[in-house]
Amino acid sequence: MSAVNITNVTVLDNPAAFLNPFQFEISYECLVPLKDDLEWKLIYVGSAEDESYDQMLESVLVGPVNVGNYRFVFQANLSRRSTRSIKDSG
């Protein structure tokens, strides 16, 4: 049994201009009180075939987390565009 379930992810500002940040509204439920904060990471997958192109765009700690429903907006810029793979685009 999991302690946390993601109940919804909404992509905000969609479609967005190329230079706009990624924005996601994340809803989740916590089924048991957590003694540590939750760490959320937004990872850009640059290539499905080579994880060396992956980039961690943002990381955030959320807490304290007790039993209940929660929601927050996770936003990150795609800062290192030049390292993206174009293998999968086109």
Side-chain angles (χ1 to χ4, degrees):
M1 178 175 117
S2 66
V4 175
N5 293 320
I6 298 173
T7 56
N8 193 46
V9 176
T10 303
V11 179
L12 304 176
D13 193 22
N14 186 24
F18 184 70
L19 296 176
N20 286 8
F22 293 115
Q23 296 182 74
F24 302 93
E25 183 180 79
I26 299 173
S27 301
Y28 63 98
E29 63 181 353
C30 185
L31 304 175
V32 296
L34 303 179
K35 68 176 188 170
D36 296 318
D37 292 347
L38 284 175
E39 182 175 18
W40 297 85
K41 295 180 181 181
L42 183 57
I43 298 174
Y44 180 86
V45 178
S47 170
E49 298 169 354
D50 185 351
E51 68 181 46
S52 70
Y53 289 102
D54 292 359
Q55 298 176 43
M56 185 172 64
L57 302 179
E58 188 64 68
S59 175
V60 63
L61 294 173
V62 176
V65 182
N66 293 305
V67 174
N69 295 308
Y70 297 88
R71 179 175 52 202
F72 69 100
V73 174
F74 199 176
Q75 178 175 313
N77 292 320
L78 182 54
S79 59
R80 295 180 288 166
R81 294 180 196 283
S82 62
T83 62
R84 288 189 351 183
S85 170
I86 57 171
K87 284 197 261 182
D88 297 331
S89 63

